[in-house]
Amino acid sequence: MDPYKFRPSSGFDTTYTTTNAGAPVWNDNEALTVGSRGPILLEDYHLIEKVAHFARERIPERVVHARGASAKGFFECTHDVTHLSCADFLRAPGVQTPVIVRFSTVIHERGSPETIRDPRGFAVKFYTREGNWDLLGNNFPVFFIRDGIKFPDVIHAFKPNPKSHIQEYWRVFDFLSHHPESMHTFFFLFDDVGVPINYRHMNGFGVNTYTFINKEGKSNYVKFHWKPTCGVKCLLEDEAEVVGGKNHSHATQDLYESIAAGNYPEWKLYVQVMDPDTESRYDFDPLDDTKTWPEDLLPLQPVGRLVLNRNIDNFFNENEQLAFGPGLVVPGIYYSDDKMLQCRVFAYADTQRYRLGPNYLMLPVNAPKCALHNNHFDGAMNFMHRDEEVDYFPSKHDPLRHARSTLSLTVSSAASARRLPLESRMISSNQGSFTVHGLLIGKSGSSKGG
């Protein structure tokens, strides 16, 4: 074993107990004392290390989606969608991409019952050849609010009363009564689908509006839908009380045991697609996440399938330290001007930096499986070996260059310009206005050729 290339792994375990530094431990049953009944000695390094580490085993839990379970598998593209997106993992039918998926409840703590009436999170991390793409959603197609500035408020309303730490629905109804747009999601929550029977038998939705971009640079709005091949099943209130009373981790156990038995959960991925230049034809805002898109006007188009065929190896490493963020996109997929999505792009990455540290994307479960290179150096718990002498850009002493875009871009309007990825547009200040590829856009959003 090359000691300079060694990475911590249980595959290198010894057959005897050691300290974290690798020194042998002669006695892991008794502390070092003065005599058989004397006081414990501070020089018992292993005792201090063992107890100190134990006191630090837990990390800050997620403010939302704290209770969850994960599994691994693959996504397979089954239909040609190259006319919609130039994403590499969608390049052809039959292409498979490794994934990890985390299902969760939203409001309550890490050890709360999985039978609570609550939206369920449905987050998928695609390890593509062009970087990681995180698709985060819920089992409802809509959300309570349409503006990210209200996100702390809606979560506070659903969380337990800060005085008694009891969840009380008068607080929920009070908040929602001030936001009539929330009624759409409210009816999903208090419908039969409010308590899924487990994670395998529930839908998933991207909720927010994203953008597909093809190799010609044409962009389209897109909504994502996951449909379970085993169908949707839910619990009635009295059934949920019985199931939760017997096993508060029933959904986690069901997922784990189903995969272990070879009964692999599977979902089909569909998209709804809208040309942004035609959005004025519809009587709803396609960027409003409290609205669904009518399927008779914008039908579901099949894309691929998701199969979970491996259980995680370690719950802490691959569930608690698993970090998702909608800011992680790949070429061919981008954000829209959906205000909730725009807020989530910042908020999710920020919460992971708080929970896990600035280098959370170095953790194996979060790290990309492709090559990467930037000048993000140092920071707490940085364990990447680097031997470069240049940590700035540009430099004639370093071959690092800007990535080359594969898009053939054509910007026909200011609206189209706003939908393009940042790497494909130029924004410069001009006394309250900015220019995008020759278009002069003022603060009001109006544009004229320049």
Side-chain angles (χ1 to χ4, degrees), residues 101-139:
V101 179
R102 187 175 188 269
F103 305 102
S104 58
T105 60
V106 175
I107 293 299
H108 291 279
E109 294 88 347
R110 186 156 41 199
S112 57
E114 293 177 302
T115 49
I116 290 176
R117 184 169 296 276
D118 197 18
R120 300 303 193 266
F122 194 126
V124 185
K125 186 183 292 291
F126 299 75
Y127 299 105
T128 86
R129 302 193 306 182
E130 293 184 315
N132 291 353
W133 175 42
D134 287 0
L135 176 57
L136 294 83
N138 290 328
N139 66 321

Side-chain angles (χ1 to χ4, degrees), residues 331-344:
I333 303 173
Y334 203 64
Y335 327 122
S336 72
D337 291 342
D338 179 328
K339 288 191 286 186
M340 271 299 299
L341 176 60
Q342 291 285 328
C343 183
R344 294 175 74 218

Side-chain angles (χ1 to χ4, degrees), residues 132-154:
N132 291 353
W133 175 42
D134 287 0
L135 176 57
L136 294 83
N138 290 328
N139 66 321
F140 302 157
V142 286
F143 195 57
F144 294 99
I145 53 173
R146 61 168 68 102
D147 194 313
I149 199 170
K150 300 307 297 177
F151 186 73
D153 298 294
V154 68

Side-chain angles (χ1 to χ4, degrees), residues 17-59:
T17 306
T18 72
T19 65
N20 281 351
V25 172
W26 314 116
N27 189 341
D28 194 32
N29 291 322
E30 300 170 321
L32 185 62
T33 62
V34 178
S36 60
R37 300 184 65 189
I40 291 174
L41 296 180
L42 190 62
E43 71 178 66
D44 191 342
Y45 175 82
H46 178 61
L47 166 68
I48 303 302
E49 179 181 76
K50 184 175 182 179
V51 175
H53 187 91
F54 175 74
R56 293 165 175 81
E57 284 182 353
R58 299 281 73 82
I59 60 176

Side-chain angles (χ1 to χ4, degrees), residues 421-440:
L422 288 175
E423 59 265 29
S424 303
R425 63 181 179 179
M426 182 69 68
I427 299 178
S428 58
S429 176
N430 182 18
Q431 296 182 342
S433 303
F434 61 89
T435 58
V436 181
H437 285 191
L439 294 170
L440 179 62

